[in-house]
Amino acid sequence: MRNSAANGQPTDEREAAEQEATVQKTSLLALSRRSRRAEEHSGSSDSGVETAEFAVPTPEAGEADRSEEVQMTDDAAKRQGFKHWRRQRPFIGGVMAVLGGIELFFSGQLDLGNMQIQFGIEGLQATVVPITIVVLALLSIFRPAHHVFYGIIALVLAVYSLIGVNLGGFIIGMLLSTIGAILVVAWMGPRGPKESEGVRSR
């Protein structure tokens, strides 16, 4: 019995020593593999432990990626919201009429040194007509229910600017305002989503 017990103790110690040795070998192999992978990715010749630490992705980088994704989704949502808002009103025609009114206004306020270029009744038509066209265009954008009324008045004023405001802002302002007013009048109403249009067509 004593001999068996005496023989059992060294075998247990040997097994424990062998297990520790295998654990150390596996850990060294894992560290060497990590260091090789890190060197392949980074191309630097640092020590195995340091490159393994740097090769592991940090949670801060993941958080930055998530924040970028959230910003991208927010931007996409804003663009979709603006597209939907634009489709519900005569946006392009209103913008063109606004640009034409601005051009008419500044064409009536030209100063070349001591010479001021201004046709028509001085100061009145060159100021009132462009401002009225701009206001009507903005009303047609933000109050699209009465777009026909606003568009007709803006069209009349745009044509009249050929006589009253520096030949219609040297023709450019009159053309912009006229085309914008025609687009405002010809607008067919708000557009629904594409799915609802497909259901209606059926």
Side-chain angles (χ1 to χ4, degrees):
M1 296 293 289
R2 290 178 182 177
N3 292 331
S4 63
N7 292 331
Q9 287 179 356
T11 56
D12 292 338
E13 291 177 357
R14 288 175 185 173
E15 290 178 357
E18 289 176 358
Q19 288 178 355
E20 289 179 0
T22 54
V23 168
Q24 289 178 356
K25 288 179 182 179
T26 54
S27 62
L28 288 173
L29 286 172
L31 284 173
S32 64
R33 288 176 185 171
R34 288 181 185 173
S35 64
R36 287 175 187 171
R37 290 176 185 171
E39 287 176 359
E40 289 175 358
H41 288 295
S42 63
S44 62
S45 60
D46 295 330
S47 63
V49 177
E50 293 179 355
T51 53
E53 291 177 357
F54 287 116
V56 176
T58 59
E60 294 178 356
E63 291 176 358
D65 293 338
R66 289 176 186 174
S67 64
E68 289 179 0
E69 290 178 359
V70 170
Q71 289 179 355
M72 293 287 287
T73 54
D74 290 340
D75 293 339
K78 288 178 181 178
R79 289 175 186 172
Q80 289 295 329
F82 177 72
K83 285 182 181 178
H84 178 71
W85 179 84
R86 187 184 66 188
R87 289 177 180 174
Q88 303 301 313
R89 58 205 71 243
F91 183 75
I92 295 174
V95 169
M96 288 185 71
V98 167
L99 292 175
I102 292 171
E103 202 278 335
L104 286 170
F105 180 80
F106 285 108
S107 70
Q109 310 294 327
L110 292 177
D111 289 327
L112 299 175
N114 295 326
M115 182 174 63
Q116 184 176 10
I117 301 173
Q118 202 167 43
F119 300 108
I121 301 172
E122 185 176 356
L124 182 62
Q125 293 179 354
T127 304
V128 173
V129 171
I131 290 174
T132 308
I133 291 174
V134 170
V135 170
L136 290 169
L138 292 175
L139 285 173
S140 68
I141 292 173
F142 292 104
R143 302 286 182 184
H146 306 290
H147 66 97
V148 176
F149 175 71
Y150 300 138
I152 289 172
I153 297 175
L155 180 60
V156 171
L157 289 174
V159 173
Y160 178 73
S161 68
L162 182 63
I163 302 169
V165 185
N166 276 0
L167 295 174
F170 307 110
I171 310 297
I172 298 171
M174 185 197 71
L175 287 176
L176 283 172
S177 300
T178 303
I179 294 170
I182 290 170
L183 290 175
V184 168
V185 173
W187 183 62
M188 298 300 293
R191 297 180 186 177
K194 293 182 180 179
E195 295 179 357
S196 62
E197 288 178 359
V199 173
R200 289 177 185 173
S201 63
R202 290 177 186 174

